[in-house]
Amino acid sequence: MSGLADMEELLSLISNKDFVEYMREANSCYNVGAYRGCIVMSYITLFDDLRLKLDELAKVNSEAKKVALEVKKRANEQEVFETYMADQLKAKGLLEEKKYQRLSMIRDLRNKAAHPSGVLATAEEARFVYRTVISEFLSEALLKTTHAVDALIERVKKSNHFPSTNINEIIEIVDADCASIHDLAVPYLVTKLLQARDSAQKTASQNAERFLVGMSGMKSNEYRSVLRKKALEPNCTDSDAAPFIGRIIAADGQLLAGLSKTNKARVCKLLTDQTKTSKVGVTTKLSHPARQISELVSSLGETVVSDSYTAFFEAVLAKYPYSPVFYNGLQDAPKLKKTLISDWLEDAGSSTFDIANAFAKALPEVDEAAKTILTPKDSFEIIVAVCRAADTGAWSAKSVQKSKFSDCPELVHSAREYAKKNKESAKKKVVSALLATNLKEFLAENLGT
């Protein structure tokens, strides 16, 4: 009787309670020696359960949807669908090999029991089918892939899932977490993360967003298409989503590739408006507009940025013109770089003191540009422009000039190289700016040579 009692107790493991009565009937068949009935009832319940789970996954997974539609078609036409469904679940990675083998064994036993072959089903076979159906299939709430996602989502909600806010460390954690998730379950994962991000629970929301940013940072083609479709495009109509969109784009600018013209315009406006009101100070943060435009130029190229995101570029140029993160991102963008350097020269020699002084104060930040985006000629012209502003009375420019540009050694070195190799041209620039009558005098007074 203990074996029979154990079979009864297994009913409590069934996830979908609608199937409990079916399996209780299968158990009743076993109890009266109707082993064939036990196997057939268990088999029917198993595949009804698999169909329901497949239908749930089909809501968020295109491959599962194709299988589900074909299964439905075959069932409606009174055709056998069980073998097809099992084979497709395995082929699509929705059913692990071990469970597929179990299904095959159960199907063989059912076929033997259901047909008048003269071979009787045994008690042992009936127990095997009954127990396996419940313990390995009916006890699980979802198919393998979504079950793994749901378990991951619960872990992500924990307060210490991301012990660091460093993007590289977040990407490492996300990469490890996603290792157990099949590619076909990625749409379901993103859907569940977006739901958690929109939840009222602060930790869950924050961690879900970090996870999505981490997925973006992995720069995976499989993840990109899903993130673009489910996270980027639906949210680009919502101004409140601008910080989130900015962060995932900063992690992977390729998310913008392939957007419609309308959605490009929406994203551009979100990022532009966000830049104008941004108070983010640390440029290494993904939420900083300078980091975002730099990633866009790097990932999409300056032609795309110029064609579709000009307003965003101009907003960053206006607010963060001297940020190394911004200008170093333009090394491979000659047209945008030319626009930036032209603005610098104008600011450096501006007759408006506030502008000229702001540039002079930013020279230590600009100094790095002499090694990355400025030519020696550019460096020399910037120093001439600052000296011109100092000559007209800009106090910060005067202070820099008096110190002989001591806080910008790279700029000075580059300017000296230009003057050394282009003496006549350098002299003309100095004389036309009315700063000295000859090059040697200018260099001695301003650069200490």
Side-chain angles (χ1 to χ4, degrees), residues 372-384:
T372 56
I373 66 167
L374 295 176
T375 65
K377 179 183 178 182
D378 294 329
S379 298
F380 187 82
E381 289 180 344
I382 285 174
I383 284 179
V384 168

Side-chain angles (χ1 to χ4, degrees), residues 156-162 164-165 170 193 195-214 244 247:
V156 170
K157 292 177 181 179
K158 304 296 183 182
S159 60
N160 200 40
H161 190 77
F162 293 109
S164 168
T165 58
I170 289 175
L193 286 167
Q195 290 173 356
R197 176 184 171 271
D198 292 337
S199 72
Q201 213 287 318
K202 183 178 179 180
T203 299
S205 177
Q206 186 179 65
N207 282 355
E209 180 162 317
R210 285 176 180 167
F211 201 102
L212 289 163
V213 172
F244 169 57
R247 280 191 281 273

Side-chain angles (χ1 to χ4, degrees), residues 175-217:
D175 191 14
D177 284 341
C178 288
S180 62
I181 304 300
H182 193 279
D183 289 345
L184 292 175
V186 171
Y188 180 73
L189 171 61
V190 172
T191 296
K192 298 298 286 186
L193 286 167
L194 288 168
Q195 290 173 356
R197 176 184 171 271
D198 292 337
S199 72
Q201 213 287 318
K202 183 178 179 180
T203 299
S205 177
Q206 186 179 65
N207 282 355
E209 180 162 317
R210 285 176 180 167
F211 201 102
L212 289 163
V213 172
M215 289 183 73
S216 302

Side-chain angles (χ1 to χ4, degrees), residues 78-114:
Q78 304 285 311
E79 294 181 14
V80 176
F81 66 85
E82 290 86 354
T83 298
Y84 168 82
M85 183 167 71
D87 290 346
Q88 287 299 305
L89 289 176
K90 176 179 177 289
K92 304 299 183 182
L94 302 174
L95 195 68
E96 60 191 20
E97 179 65 28
K98 178 183 176 182
K99 288 193 174 182
Y100 176 76
Q101 295 300 330
R102 292 293 199 192
L103 272 182
S104 298
M105 292 173 67
I106 292 170
R107 188 170 61 244
D108 290 343
L109 289 171
R110 179 265 179 193
N111 289 340
K112 185 178 77 170

